[in-house]
Amino acid sequence: MVAVGVGAALGGAAERAARADAPSDTAPPNCLDQSIKDELGRTLRPRGVQKRPFTKDDRIQLVARGGLFAADLFSTSYIYGGAAAYWLTEDLGLEVSFDATPIALDLDGPVADFFGDDRFESPGTGYLALGGLLWSPIHAKMKIGGSIVHSDVMFALGAGRLFHDTVQGITFDAGMAIELFASRFVTVRLDLRDVIAVQEAVAETRLTNNLVASLGLSLWTPAW
């Protein structure tokens, strides 16, 4: 009796193992046949990491720009000019720039009428010449008009001179910029800088923080 029971148990285990190895009749049907795969291939586009249009290292960047010069001590006015940068690596570049802006004091007219003379004797055009470093540690992508646009976030630090009779000593600048890659050789650049200088107007001399916001178009040379 014991032998019969053991044999029955072994036979049942073998039968269950055979059923487990056999293909199941209740398996879900494969719906992705060739026609559905072809349809999906026509309607879906592959996604993933997209390459940027070009790398910046060993390239020269030429920028033409214009914008707003929000002066601290004088009247807000426009600014225009350009810059040239040489990128040593993908993240670090050297830049020189030259811009021009009208420098005037809106209060000079009423003050001159009140005192009977011109207290602000140096209206005219200021010329801003700077040199400095560009650091681009952040690369980003954004979706604009149904396509992926690459961009770089940059930080700038430099020094030079704001050439005008009201300015004393060296001028410094610091700020940031966003670069949008439009094509292989063209980018759109938005700059926001703080131009720091010692200036004098209407018998007042102090350290000024002049905000510059500009929009520019950049052309890139091929890599050396």
Side-chain angles (χ1 to χ4, degrees), residues 8-91:
L10 293 175
E15 184 180 355
R16 287 194 297 273
R19 286 200 302 268
D21 293 337
S24 174
D25 295 336
T26 60
N30 185 5
C31 298
L32 291 177
D33 57 10
Q34 189 60 41
S35 61
I36 296 179
K37 291 180 181 179
D38 294 341
E39 182 65 25
L40 289 175
R42 288 191 295 267
T43 57
L44 297 180
R45 291 181 297 175
R47 296 184 179 182
V49 178
Q50 276 114 32
K51 296 180 180 179
R52 65 173 70 192
F54 61 89
T55 57
K56 299 186 297 186
D57 56 309
D58 266 348
R59 292 178 184 267
I60 294 177
Q61 179 185 16
L62 302 176
V63 186
R65 63 191 180 191
L68 184 68
F69 185 85
D72 191 357
L73 194 58
F74 302 106
S75 305
T76 298
S77 186
Y78 59 88
I79 189 170
Y80 60 92
Y86 174 67
W87 288 87
L88 303 171
T89 67
E90 189 66 25
D91 302 327

